[in-house]
Amino acid sequence: MTVQELWDSGLLKQVNEGDDMDREITKLFCCDLLSIAMSKAPSGCAWVTVMGNMNTLAVASLADAACVIMAEDAHLDPTALNKAKMQGITVMETALPIFDAALLIHKRLSPSESLL
């Protein structure tokens, strides 16, 4: 699934359309500890988090995440939203808990793959 397909799916609220909407989402990554995300988030991931500050966007850029998904009704703060626009980072939101949001997207990414 591409970032554009996820953007258009209606599963998530659209917050900021990034520069690379045709990018393939390779995996999901869930983490709220930025130091771990910086070292372990796989390139091309859809990163699900509740951290909505500029540091999150810096880590998303360093980790080469395909997009950031804010879960649990978390939002980017205004400064971070402006930074996402300037850096062309795709950001979406959902009221779902982190796990549920990731599971929903996982089912779209790998419809026949088991979680176990």
Side-chain angles (χ1 to χ4, degrees):
M1 170 191 315
T2 65
V3 174
Q4 185 71 56
E5 289 169 334
L6 181 58
W7 181 265
D8 293 338
S9 70
L11 297 174
L12 305 166
K13 180 182 174 195
Q14 301 169 342
V15 176
N16 186 64
E17 184 173 353
D19 294 339
D20 198 1
M21 299 298 285
D22 292 328
R23 184 155 186 206
E24 199 69 31
I25 297 172
T26 57
K27 290 188 174 207
L28 283 154
F29 182 74
C30 302
C31 185
D32 291 324
L33 192 56
L34 297 179
S35 59
I36 291 177
M38 192 168 18
S39 65
K40 298 198 182 239
S43 179
C45 70
W47 180 16
V48 186
T49 186
V50 297
M51 301 294 291
N53 58 44
M54 281 199 3
N55 293 335
T56 301
L57 298 174
V59 170
S61 182
L62 283 170
D64 195 30
C67 60
V68 176
I69 299 163
M70 304 298 302
E72 302 188 27
D73 269 337
H75 309 285
L76 291 178
D77 63 44
T79 304
L81 180 55
N82 285 335
K83 190 70 164 178
K85 290 176 181 179
M86 287 176 24
Q87 291 186 330
I89 297 173
T90 301
V91 180
M92 295 172 254
E93 295 177 345
T94 181
L96 293 172
I98 290 172
F99 176 82
D100 295 339
L103 182 59
L104 183 68
I105 298 163
H106 172 78
K107 288 178 180 178
R108 288 285 181 109
L109 280 175
S110 311
S112 62
E113 184 179 311
S114 169
L115 287 176
L116 301 175

